C-alpha cells in the first residue's frame, strides 16, 4: 500500500466558499464578509486559498492578528500594509508616508516626557499627586490618538495614488480584536480605517472589499447591515474527507467512514489522522487496530486542538465552563447553573451565559436550549473518564438529579443514567423504548434512539447489539426495509460474538419479517427456522410460538 506525503494542513473541499469569494469580489455590496468558525476548522487555510485565487489585477492586503504586535500596535498594522502596497502606489508619496510613520514611532518611543511637560505648562504646575497623574493619563491617551490619526491620514493619501482599481483585505484570527489587548486596534481598524478606505475608494470609482475570519462574530456598528455578509464556516463534508483520505492512500472505505465519524470533518483533526496514518508507513491496518488508532487520535487532538486552540485562549471561568459542559448532551441556563455552580458566580450569570453561547462550538437547538459540538464532547469525555473520574461521576450525578426533578421525560435523563449505571440504565431505556413503540410515539422513540447512539457512551457489546436491534425495529415500522436490515445484521453479528442465543434468535425473527415483507419467502423461511432452533435451544416457549 502506497502512502503519499501530504501537507499537515491540507486543503480539500470548500468549493462553495471559493465560488462565493469570486462572486463577492465582483459585487458592490455587501463589501465586508465575516467568516466565523471553530478553531482549527480551516479558516486560515481558506483565506490563504482566497489569496492564491484572487485575480492578479486585484491588490491583496493580508493581515494575521495571531501576531501580537499587529493586534496591539496600530503603527505595526500601518507598516504591514505599507510594504504590501509598495509597488502599487506613487513612490514620492510612499517616501512621505514612511517619514510620517517613522516620526510616529519616534513620538511614541518617549511619549511620557513630552506629555508631562505639556500638562505642567498647561496647568502652570498647579496640579499635584493624583490630579496630575490623571491629567497625564488623559493627555497620554489623546497624544497617542493624535499620532495614530496623523499616520493613518498619511496612509489614506498614499492609497489615493494606488493604480489598482480594486483592493481586498484578508484579515485572519480576528477574534483577538474582540479581546481586551486587541480592542484598540480592532476599534480603529473595523470601525474606522476600513470603512474610510471603502468610502474613499468608492468615491474614486474603485472597489474595496474585506474578508474577516474569526472564531466569534465581531460587532461592526460603523458598517451598515446591507454592507455585511456573515457566514458560519461548516466542517468539511464527507466527500471532502473521502478525497483527502484517498489522496494519502487510505483505500479501505470502512476505515475512511470511521475516520470521518471520528473527526466530524474538522480540518485540524483530519490532518492529525493523516499524520497518524502516514506514521504507520507500510504497516497495514485491520479492524482490530481501530481502538488503538482512536486512542492515538484522542491524545493528539486533546493537545493540538482542545488545549492549544481552545482552552488556552479562554479566560476563567469560561474555560472551565467549556471543558465540563461538554459532559451534557444539551443544556439551558438553569441546568448549567445547577450542575456547574462552582463556575457560575452569583452576579452576572445571565451575561456569562450569553457570552458562552456565542462561541462557534456551541450549537443552538431551539427553545433556549444549546449543546456543545459532538467533536468537543467526544474528545473531552475520553479525557475526563480517565483523568478526572470523580468530576466525571459528580457532574453526571448532578445532571441526572436535576433532570429527574425538572425534565424526567427528557431523553438526556437516560443518557446520564447509562453513564452512571449501564446495566440498570439499559433495562430502563429498553422499557421506555417498548412503551413508545406500543403507543406509536415515533418522535419520542427517535429521541431515545439518538441518546443510545451517542458516541460519548462506551457501551458493552450486548448493549450495542440491543440498540442496533431497536434501531432496526424503528426503521422496520417506518417501512425503511434496507436500513432495518443493515441494523439487524449489525445486531446479529454482535449477538453472535457475545454468544447471546436469545438475542440472536430475536434478530433472526426480525430479519425474517423484513424478508417476508419483501416477498423473499425462501430467505424468510431460513431466518425463521434458524430463529426457531435457537428459541428451542434456550428454552423460550413464547419465542417458539411466535416463530
Amino acid at each position: 500500500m502506497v502512502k503519499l506525503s501530504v501537507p499537515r494542513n491540507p486543503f480539500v473541499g470548500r468549493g462553495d466558499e471559493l465560488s462565493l469569494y469570486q462572486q463577492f469580489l465582483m459585487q458592490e455590496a455587501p463589501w465586508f464578509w465575516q467568516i466565523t468558525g471553530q478553531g482549527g476548522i480551516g479558516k486560515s487555510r481558506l483565506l490563504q486559498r482566497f489569496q492564491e485565487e484572487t485575480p492578479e489585477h486585484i491588490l491583496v492586503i493580508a493581515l494575521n492578528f495571531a501576531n501580537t504586535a499587529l493586534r496591539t500596535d496600530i503603527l505595526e498594522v500601518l507598516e504591514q500594509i505599507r510594504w504590501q502596497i509598495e509597488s502599487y502606489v506613487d513612490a514620492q508619496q510612499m517616501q512621505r508616508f514612511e517619514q510620517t510613520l517613522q516620526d510616529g514611532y519616534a513620538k511614541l518611543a518617549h511619549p511620557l516626557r513630552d506629555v508631562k511637560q505639556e500638562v505642567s505648562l498647561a496647568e502652570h504646575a498647579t496640579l499635584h499627586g493624583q490630579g496630575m497623574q490623571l491629567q497625564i493619563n488623559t493627555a497620554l491617551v489623546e497624544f497617542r490618538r493624535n499620532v495614530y490619526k496623523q499616520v493613518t491620514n498619511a496612509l489614506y493619501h498614499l492609497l489615493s495614488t494606488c493604480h489598482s482599481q480594486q483592493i481586498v483585505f484578508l484579515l485572519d484570527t480576528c477574534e483577538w480584536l474582540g479581546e481586551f489587548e486587541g480592542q484598540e486596534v480592532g476599534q480603529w481598524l473595523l470601525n474606522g480605517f476600513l470603512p474610510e478606505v471603502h468610502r474613499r475608494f468608492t468615491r474614486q470609482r474603485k472597489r474595496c472589499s474585506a474578508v474577516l475570519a474569526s472564531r466569534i462574530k465581531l460587532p461592526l456598528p460603523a458598517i451598515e447591515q446591507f454592507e455585511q455578509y456573515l457566514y458560519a464556516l461548516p466542517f468539511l463534508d464527507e466527500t471532502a474527507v473521502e478525497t483527502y483520505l484517498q489522496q494519502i492512500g487510505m483505500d479501505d472505505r470502512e476505515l475512511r467512514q470511521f475516520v470521518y465519524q471520528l473527526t466530524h470533518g474538522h480540518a485540524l483533526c483530519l490532518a492529525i489522522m493523516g499524520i497518524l496514518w502516514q506514521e504507520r508507513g507500510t504497516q497495514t491496518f485491520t479492524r482490530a487496530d481501530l481502538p488503538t488508532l482512536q486512542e492515538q487520535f484522542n491524545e493528539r487532538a486533546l493537545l493540538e486542538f482542545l488545549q492549544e486552540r481552545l482552552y488556552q485562549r479562554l479566560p476563567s471561568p469560561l474555560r472551565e465552563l467549556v471543558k465540563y459542559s461538554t459532559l451534557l448532551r444539551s443544556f439551558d441556563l438553569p441546568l448549567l447553573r445547577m450542575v456547574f455552580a462552582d463556575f457560575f458566580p452569583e452576579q452576572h450569570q445571565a451575561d456569562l451565559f450569553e457570552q458562552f453561547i456565542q462561541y462557534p462550538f456551541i450549537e443552538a437547538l431551539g427553545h433556549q436550549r444549546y449543546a456543545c459540538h459532538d467533536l468537543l464532547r467526544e474528545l473531552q469525555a475520553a479525557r475526563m473518564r480517565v483523568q478526572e473520574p470523580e468530576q466525571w461521576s459528580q457532574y453526571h450525578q448532578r445532571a441526572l438529579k436535576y433532570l429527574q426533578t425538572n425534565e424526567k421525560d427528557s431523553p438526556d435523563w437516560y443518557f446520564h443514567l447509562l453513564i452512571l449505571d449501564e446495566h440498570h440504565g439499559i433495562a430502563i431505556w429498553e422499557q421506555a423504548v417498548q412503551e413508545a413503540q406500543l403507543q406509536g410515539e415515533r418522535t419520542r422513540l427517535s429521541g431515545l434512539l439518538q441518546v443510545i447512539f451517542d458516541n460519548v457512551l462506551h457501551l458493552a457489546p450486548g448493549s450495542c447489539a440491543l440498540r442496533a436491534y431497536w434501531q432496526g425495529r424503528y426503521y422496520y415500522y417506518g417501512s425503511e426495509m434496507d436500513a432495518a436490515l443493515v441494523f439487524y445484521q449489525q445486531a446479529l453479528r454482535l449477538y453472535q460474538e457475545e454468544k447471546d442465543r436469545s438475542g440472536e434468535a430475536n434478530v433472526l425473527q426480525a430479519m425474517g419479517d423484513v424478508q417476508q415483507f419483501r416477498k423473499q419467502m425462501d430467505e424468510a423461511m431460513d431466518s425463521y427456522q434458524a430463529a426457531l432452533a435457537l428459541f428451542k435451544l434456550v428454552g423460550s416457549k413464547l419465542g417458539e410460538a411466535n416463530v
Side-chain angles (χ1 to χ4, degrees), residues 349-408:
Q349 288 186 350
D351 292 339
L352 180 63
F353 182 74
E354 287 301 319
Q355 184 180 359
F356 175 55
I357 62 176
Q358 295 304 314
Y359 286 106
F361 46 79
I362 302 297
E363 301 176 338
L365 305 180
H367 305 291
Q368 303 299 312
R369 204 160 189 89
Y370 304 87
C372 292
H373 191 278
D374 286 343
L375 177 62
L376 269 69
R377 294 182 57 243
E378 292 162 17
L379 289 173
Q380 181 65 1
R383 187 195 72 84
M384 278 202 69
R385 188 183 279 109
V386 175
Q387 297 184 10
E388 300 183 59
E390 291 184 7
Q391 289 91 332
W392 169 264
S393 178
Q394 180 187 59
Y395 292 139
H396 281 297
Q397 287 174 352
R398 288 183 186 179
L400 184 67
K401 181 179 179 181
Y402 176 88
L403 294 171
Q404 175 76 36
T405 303
N406 299 279
E407 302 177 35
K408 180 60 167 61

Side-chain angles (χ1 to χ4, degrees), residues 31 156 189 191-201 203:
W31 64 271
Y156 290 149
L189 178 69
N191 295 308
F193 179 75
L194 287 177
E196 181 63 18
V197 172
H198 178 265
R199 186 184 69 80
R200 288 170 179 258
F201 264 61
R203 192 168 59 193

Side-chain angles (χ1 to χ4, degrees), residues 93-122:
Q93 192 67 40
M94 172 62 80
Q95 290 179 352
R96 296 190 188 98
F97 172 75
E98 288 176 343
Q99 185 58 54
T100 305
L101 179 62
Q102 294 308 313
D103 290 345
Y105 277 124
K107 290 177 181 179
L108 293 182
H110 305 286
L112 196 57
R113 178 186 59 199
D114 296 335
V115 167
K116 280 185 175 180
Q117 185 176 2
E118 290 179 11
V119 171
S120 297
L121 290 174

Side-chain angles (χ1 to χ4, degrees), residues 164-184:
S164 176
Q165 293 298 305
Q166 186 168 356
I167 185 173
V168 59
F169 291 85
L170 300 179
L171 313 173
D172 197 12
T173 326
C174 291
E175 61 269 12
W176 282 110
L177 302 182
E179 300 291 339
F180 177 76
E181 69 173 311
Q183 284 180 356
E184 182 181 35

Side-chain angles (χ1 to χ4, degrees), residues 133-149:
Q133 188 60 49
L134 180 61
Q135 287 283 21
I136 289 174
N137 290 342
T138 303
L140 187 60
V141 170
E142 188 62 26
F143 179 80
R144 287 167 54 86
R145 185 180 292 120
N146 286 333
V147 171
Y148 293 145
K149 184 177 181 180

